Amino acid sequence: MALKMVKGSIDRMFDKNLQDLVRGIRNHKEDEAKYISQCIDEIKQELKQDNIAVKANAVCKLTYLQMLGYDISWAAFNIIEVMSASKFTFKRIGYLAASQSFHEGTDVIMLTTNQIRKDLSSPSQYDTGVALTGLSCFVTPDLARDLANDIMTLMSHTKPYIRKKAVLIMYKVFLKYPESLRPAFPRLKEKLEDPDPGVQSAAVNVICELARRNPKNYLSLAPLFFKLMTSSTNNWVLIKIIKLFGALTPLEPRLGKKLIEPLTNLIHSTSAMSLLYECVNTVIAVLISLSSGMPNHSASIQLCVQKLRILIEDSDQNLKYLGLLAMSKILKTHPKSVQSHKDLILQCLDDKDESIRLRALDLLYGMVSKKNLMEIVKKLMTHVDKAEGTTYRDELLTKIIDICSQSNYQYITNFEWYISILVELTRLEGTRHGHLIAAQMLDVAIRVKAIRKFAVSQMSALLDSAHLLASSTQRNGICEVLYAAAWICGEFSEHLQEPHHTLEAMLRPRVTTLPGHIQAVYVQNVVKLYASILQQKEQAGEAEGAQAVTQLMVDRLPQFVQSADLEVQERASCILQLVKHIQKLQAKDVPVAEEVSALFAGELNPVAPKAQKKVPVPEGLDLDAWINEPLSDSESEDERPRAVFHEEEQRRPKHRPSEADEEELARRREARKQEQANNPFYIKSSPSPQKRYQDTPGVEHIPVVQIDLSVPLKVPGLPMSDQYVKLEEERRHRQKLEKDKRRKKRKEKEKKGKRRHSSLPTESDEDIAPAQQVDIVTEEMPENALPSDEDDKDPNDPYRALDIDLDKPLADSEKLPIQKHRNTETSKSPEKDVPMVEKKSKKPKKKEKKHKEKERDKEKKKEKEKKAEDLDFWLSTTPPPAPAPAPAPVPSTGELSVNTVTTPKDECEDAKTEAQGEEDDAEGQDQDKKSPKPKKKKHRKEKEERTKGKKKSKKQPPGSEEAAGEPVQNGAPEEEQLPPESSYSLLAENSYVKMTCDIRGSLQEDSQVTVAIVLENRSSSILKGMELSVLDSLNARMARPQGSSVHDGVPVPFQLPPGVSNEAQYVFTIQSIVMAQKLKGTLSFIAKNDEGATHEKLDFRLHFSCSSYLITTPCYSDAFAKLLESGDLSMSSIKVDGIRMSFQNLLAKICFHHHFSVVERVDSCASMYSRSIQGHHVCLLVKKGENSVSVDGKCSDSTLLSNLLEEMKATLAKC
Amino acid sequence: MIQAILVFNNHGKPRLVRFYQRFPEEIQQQIVRETFHLVLKRDDNICNFLEGGSLIGGSDYKLIYRHYATLYFVFCVDSSESELGILDLIQVFVETLDKCFENVCELDLIFHMDKVHYILQEVVMGGMVLETNMNEIVAQIEAQNRLEKSEDQVLA
């Protein structure tokens, strides 16, 4: 042994350690990879040795290599070996390696559970610490579930070092195992007031993280945090709390009001910039949450803005950045207060720091008004020219477009100016945002009708100088604007000044170098242009001119026909043929213009981007339904019989396709229309009724192009937007003058009349009238569009699982799983069948607790009311009350005190938290509490008590008991006999007769059920002349002898002497069996005894449950699997808690009452099958959990299924 | 939450790579490279915040870094962390390193990556700030070092 040790040490001396490895790598700069692979080979050798020191050294080196990007997952097992070393030195190395390389996909991670548990409970705090640290990095859902309880125990460790780590790691546990949140929360909350500042800070940290994702669940903690905020001096904790309040205030404005004062004080008093900044941020959040118009808060805004201005003016770039960031938050609600600092923000645009420039840009977005838009954009344009990096320039470009187009072009008063800006932006080289500009051009041209003429002229100029733009042909480059230009010129060709010139520009050979999708638009719009020229020429009687244009088309189109792009080629060849045809007609002097123009008659309206999505699905339409029956795939694997149940959980209920057909067609038609409207290239086959071809402007209406522009268009394609700025200013000035004049006139008038105070002529946004009468066409939405869209919700958000109501009392089903071996030593009670939980609660301290409980009960009622309104109360008091510890609602009930999972030493603490606990059903609890449960009491009695209590409160039934008491074993038949049951149920009874009945489906006839009624004579008379009359419903009819009317009764074919019973059967025809139904009926009879005869009646109600329509039909498992996979069954499921019956008996019950047969049973899981009288297949998967049963059903009719499951639920609930 | 802590030198050589969310090794290297290029082109006298790289997180994430002589310390954090707080935290971390290594320089980090990790573990745990009090951090590290030494003596 000693020798081995010495040998190991010697080995180790020759091994490379981490330093040697690093040195080696540094010395092998040229062949690093080779050297490292050599080292890895060595490491592999080392890992094979028995000496743990050697292994640890090897793992340490691996950790280094991992940092360099080498995958070390192959050594996962060795890492676990090192983790389990007894020496801290090695253990630490192992855990470090694990924390760097383990993840959820690491398969050996499950081997670590016990090792980690051992380390967590190690006497050395550093072993525990290192395990916690490691676990925090690689915790998986399994580890979280298995270790949650251990970690929770550590939260009350004596050493603060362990406590703080345990508290922090709980967040990771919650994320991976959300069920642990509720049971662990009371203790976590307790840690907010831990004496150690580190632990306190950790608890704040965790709760802040939790609250950030689901703030509403943590509102009740506000008073506690408020107290911490006013008492803590730890800036780190303060920052966290203040940030948390920032998240809470939007949910509770009253909280905000309360916060403003202390926060303002902090702003004034603190010297820490970080704290100041967070305070300002939260004040802003408060102000946002408060409804505006509160007079005394303008001071707070001023304070914030003023402090932020100081930050922004600071030489520290960090503060400047943050100041701008916070400013942008104020901007959203109080733009006016920010706008006064426009100078400062514009100044920041010149900052050398890109982050700051970007922030300033963000701010500008919200600062524009009608008044200053042009000025700001002008400034931005100069920055665009100056910007050196393309990223920043692109950012500027998008910002300019964002700023201008925001809220539906709200701030643009002069669209000519905007178009010029867009055209100027096309001069940017190498931008990635060509498509953005293009989209804007299209949008403006389509939606602002008044601007079309101007837009067309600009676009034709662009097309003319296309060669300047076409240099960069990459996708999204600036050449994208040609797409827009071509479309605008084509679509609005009636506004073109020189259509022929533009046509030629569009047919230049260079065009073929453009990307395919742009060429395609060119081709399409060339025709539109052609059509309009043709019409113009024909109208003017220039047949030759028209022919010349046609000739031009015929000459030039072939260059597109040769295009490699399919779209271009297709369109071009199609159009070429068309034009050739036109040429022939023209040769015969046939006027063609009108017909050609008819191709493009009608207007294309803008459609909102989400329009298609918003088309409501018509009722009865199943989008998932097959249009044609799918080919039966015979090759489908038979290997997944059960999985089928869960795969299609979200499937919509299927409807009968035959009904949907009509609607389906209509819907598709509608959808197609939508699509066509959306597609600018769609050529409408026939003019739509509203926009008849005749209505389109004839030649007379084509404006003899006389663009009435104040700016000469000399420079093709490159207008100077600045001129518009000047013009706009002049225009505004004129407007103002006019207005002033008018005002003066009015004043004079007023002077004559009543003298009124007139406001100073300030120029507000509203005063600036737009230059053009702008008609901004709103985007079209489908009729009955769904109002809200829930696009933003991400169903995969991991934090959604943590959206848990923490104020609800804890149910015992929520306890954390405990490892048994930890408890065995404490269990001394002889009863074998007591569940673990109960044993634990029977600790010596129990007595003490009981005592406390009694006292508590007295106070509880008083507390109860107080508590419910506590938060409200706290919030409503205006002066900050001496912040009492928040008696926040802690989940606890009387039952819980019995069942809560706690370790003995925590009992007291639990009792404390429970003392503050909320009480929801005080009545039931009191009973529970008072029920004597002394320590030595016989278990049985306690059990009884408990179940009684349970029944009363109808709460979670005691589950674990059954799990222990009745082990569910497969193939343990007839363990317990079911009580003999009858399928006959009581129908009605009186002193003469008792009626019971059973309803059975009949196999022979579709849609028929047989009702067997047993009549029992209870009297001493003879019953005779019995007649049964049943009131038929639409759905169910009684089969009567031929010739009898609906109102006649049906005779019972026997007499009943005293004490005798007999059975009569009646057949009912049922139309729809998907729903249960009731029929009213009356039994009339004559009771005859010695004294005479009386006529008697007995009313009853026949209840046809859905189960009664089922016929027990055996099914083989392969057929069953096939059925499930066929996919045309809809799915539904139920879950019933508190089942105490064994699974065997449960199945028997289902078979008996609901006419199912078991197809297959494995452990606590069984598949069942039945068939309805109308041939619906019903498949069930019944699973038994600890004390619950879940039933997943599949059926060809969803209504039938859901009704069946409801009935089953009722049956199971009785079990 | 802190998503990642990266330390690399002026040439982009990683000295400490600590991710609190799983990324495969090659992606980790890519992130380090990308982050390096992002911070490299920034002057020393501009702000220490960077809107996140494309690889980690998204718009909610920020890079907060400090540049000390030859080393960059970069923290990638989400919006629940205070920007200035994290800057202070970096300072605390570096000062702790300075205390533990006695005048820390890049070479210390190069040869004692494991120790740097152990120190970091006392500051940040699983992406959450564990301790900000430097004396407390140093005390825990020293206690652990003593423990290690005592074990070493047993071995010898």
Side-chain angles (χ1 to χ4, degrees), chain A residues 811-813 895 950 954-959 1137-1138 1187:
Chain A
D812 53 357
S813 61
E895 282 157 32
K950 286 286 143 54
K954 294 254 165 164
K955 280 254 165 93
Q956 300 286 341
D1137 285 324
N1187 54 356

Side-chain angles (χ1 to χ4, degrees), chain B residues 63-119:
Chain B
L63 297 177
I64 299 175
Y65 73 97
R66 271 182 186 273
H67 189 194
Y68 294 93
T70 59
L71 290 174
Y72 283 98
F73 288 74
V74 186
F75 281 44
C76 174
V77 303
D78 67 14
S79 62
S80 74
E81 302 293 342
S82 147
E83 291 88 348
L84 294 171
I86 292 292
L87 275 182
D88 287 348
L89 188 73
I90 299 179
Q91 185 66 27
V92 168
F93 179 46
V94 173
E95 279 180 33
T96 313
L97 287 177
D98 199 48
K99 267 202 177 167
C100 295
F101 286 109
E102 286 158 18
N103 271 328
V104 70
C105 70
E106 194 189 337
L107 281 177
D108 292 316
L109 271 74
I110 295 173
F111 286 107
H112 302 284
M113 180 212 67
D114 48 346
K115 295 206 172 60
V116 179
H117 266 294
Y118 299 145
I119 293 168

Side-chain angles (χ1 to χ4, degrees), chain B:
Chain B
M1 286 278 279
I2 299 168
Q3 187 87 334
I5 295 172
L6 311 173
V7 180
F8 43 75
N9 72 359
N10 288 346
H11 304 287
K13 284 253 187 263
R15 295 302 176 218
L16 177 97
V17 176
R18 173 75 268 191
F19 283 89
Y20 293 104
Q21 188 199 337
R22 169 68 192 168
F23 288 105
E25 275 76 8
E26 59 270 31
I27 306 286
Q28 290 188 1
Q29 293 299 310
Q30 224 173 309
I31 293 174
V32 173
R33 271 198 301 276
E34 193 198 60
T35 314
F36 168 66
H37 286 298
L38 279 176
V39 289
L40 183 70
K41 51 181 185 205
R42 296 176 66 85
D43 291 340
D44 272 352
N45 54 359
I46 63 176
C47 77
N48 299 84
F49 313 120
L50 257 174
E51 258 107 299
S54 55
L55 283 171
I56 303 188
S59 60
D60 197 34
Y61 287 88
K62 270 204 187 76
L63 297 177
I64 299 175
Y65 73 97
R66 271 182 186 273
H67 189 194
Y68 294 93
T70 59
L71 290 174
Y72 283 98
F73 288 74
V74 186
F75 281 44
C76 174
V77 303
D78 67 14
S79 62
S80 74
E81 302 293 342
S82 147
E83 291 88 348
L84 294 171
I86 292 292
L87 275 182
D88 287 348
L89 188 73
I90 299 179
Q91 185 66 27
V92 168
F93 179 46
V94 173
E95 279 180 33
T96 313
L97 287 177
D98 199 48
K99 267 202 177 167
C100 295
F101 286 109
E102 286 158 18
N103 271 328
V104 70
C105 70
E106 194 189 337
L107 281 177
D108 292 316
L109 271 74
I110 295 173
F111 286 107
H112 302 284
M113 180 212 67
D114 48 346
K115 295 206 172 60
V116 179
H117 266 294
Y118 299 145
I119 293 168
L120 181 63
Q121 281 176 358
E122 296 302 324
V123 184
V124 178
M125 187 177 124
M128 286 188 289
V129 180
L130 180 68
E131 185 59 67
T132 49
N133 179 345
M134 194 162 65
N135 295 331
E136 170 70 17
I137 299 167
V138 173
Q140 296 299 348
I141 289 161
E142 279 172 356
Q144 289 177 57
N145 289 344
R146 275 197 302 277
L147 179 64
E148 202 165 74
K149 235 173 228 162
S150 71
E151 284 181 349
D152 218 33
Q153 275 161 6
V154 173
L155 196 78

Side-chain angles (χ1 to χ4, degrees), chain A residues 12 18-19 22-23 26 32 60 63-64 66-72 86-90 92-93 96 99-103 124-126 130 132-133 136-137 161 164-165 168-169 171-172 198 201 205-206 209 212-213 234 236 239-240 243 273-274 277-278 317-319 321-322 325 352-353 355-356 359, chain B residues 1 13-20 22 25-26 28-29 42-43 45-51 60-62 78-89 107 110-115 117-118 121-122 124-132 136 139-141 143-145 147-149 151-152 154-155:
Chain A
R12 221 179 134 195
L18 174 61
Q19 281 75 31
V22 175
R23 209 166 287 130
R26 284 162 71 83
E32 197 182 284
C60 185
T63 313
Y64 183 81
Q66 194 271 345
M67 179 181 78
L68 298 183
Y70 290 86
D71 177 25
I72 60 164
S86 56
K87 281 201 169 55
F88 173 71
T89 318
F90 303 145
R92 181 150 85 153
I93 291 172
L96 175 62
S99 73
Q100 290 288 71
S101 64
F102 283 10
H103 52 93
S124 158
Q125 63 165 328
Y126 292 111
V130 98
L132 284 172
T133 307
S136 72
C137 295
Y161 179 73
K164 70 180 177 193
K165 287 197 171 195
L168 267 195
I169 201 179
Y171 179 64
K172 294 277 174 162
S201 156
N205 214 336
V206 171
E209 281 294 335
R212 199 166 76 93
R213 307 295 180 173
N234 180 345
W236 190 266
I239 288 175
K240 281 277 170 190
K243 261 184 168 294
M273 273 303 183
S274 48
Y277 173 67
E278 295 305 337
Q317 295 284 323
N318 291 330
L319 298 182
Y321 173 86
L322 294 175
L325 197 64
K352 57 188 177 300
D353 189 341
S355 303
I356 287 176
R359 287 275 77 85
Chain B
M1 286 278 279
K13 284 253 187 263
R15 295 302 176 218
L16 177 97
V17 176
R18 173 75 268 191
F19 283 89
Y20 293 104
R22 169 68 192 168
E25 275 76 8
E26 59 270 31
Q28 290 188 1
Q29 293 299 310
R42 296 176 66 85
D43 291 340
N45 54 359
I46 63 176
C47 77
N48 299 84
F49 313 120
L50 257 174
E51 258 107 299
D60 197 34
Y61 287 88
K62 270 204 187 76
D78 67 14
S79 62
S80 74
E81 302 293 342
S82 147
E83 291 88 348
L84 294 171
I86 292 292
L87 275 182
D88 287 348
L89 188 73
L107 281 177
I110 295 173
F111 286 107
H112 302 284
M113 180 212 67
D114 48 346
K115 295 206 172 60
H117 266 294
Y118 299 145
Q121 281 176 358
E122 296 302 324
V124 178
M125 187 177 124
M128 286 188 289
V129 180
L130 180 68
E131 185 59 67
T132 49
E136 170 70 17
Q140 296 299 348
I141 289 161
Q144 289 177 57
N145 289 344
L147 179 64
E148 202 165 74
K149 235 173 228 162
E151 284 181 349
D152 218 33
V154 173
L155 196 78

Side-chain angles (χ1 to χ4, degrees), chain A residues 514-630:
Chain A
L514 289 171
H517 65 287
I518 299 179
Q519 283 188 57
V521 175
Y522 264 69
V523 173
Q524 190 69 32
N525 285 285
V526 156
V527 198
K528 293 185 195 166
L529 207 50
Y530 167 69
S532 101
I533 294 174
L534 214 56
Q535 198 163 30
Q536 209 176 336
K537 297 273 182 198
E538 256 181 40
Q539 225 98 46
E542 298 173 34
E544 272 178 33
Q547 277 173 7
V549 179
T550 314
Q551 190 54 45
L552 180 73
M553 292 283 281
V554 174
D555 288 347
R556 297 287 177 83
L557 276 175
Q559 65 186 352
F560 294 109
V561 176
Q562 289 157 8
S563 169
D565 191 281
L566 210 61
E567 180 89 12
V568 181
Q569 203 185 81
E570 190 187 4
R571 287 180 190 223
S573 27
C574 175
I575 285 162
L576 185 58
Q577 288 313 309
L578 182 76
V579 175
K580 277 182 180 164
H581 184 70
I582 293 170
Q583 199 173 26
K584 272 184 214 156
L585 290 176
Q586 275 180 332
K588 290 179 208 154
D589 265 348
V590 182
V592 286
E594 286 201 351
E595 278 164 37
V596 177
S597 319
L599 285 173
F600 306 106
E603 201 166 323
L604 298 173
N605 288 331
V607 175
K610 282 179 186 164
Q612 180 73 60
K613 242 198 210 159
K614 298 242 173 174
V615 180
V617 180
E619 225 176 290
L621 172 70
D622 181 6
L623 291 173
D624 294 333
W626 288 97
I627 296 168
N628 298 313
E629 278 304 305

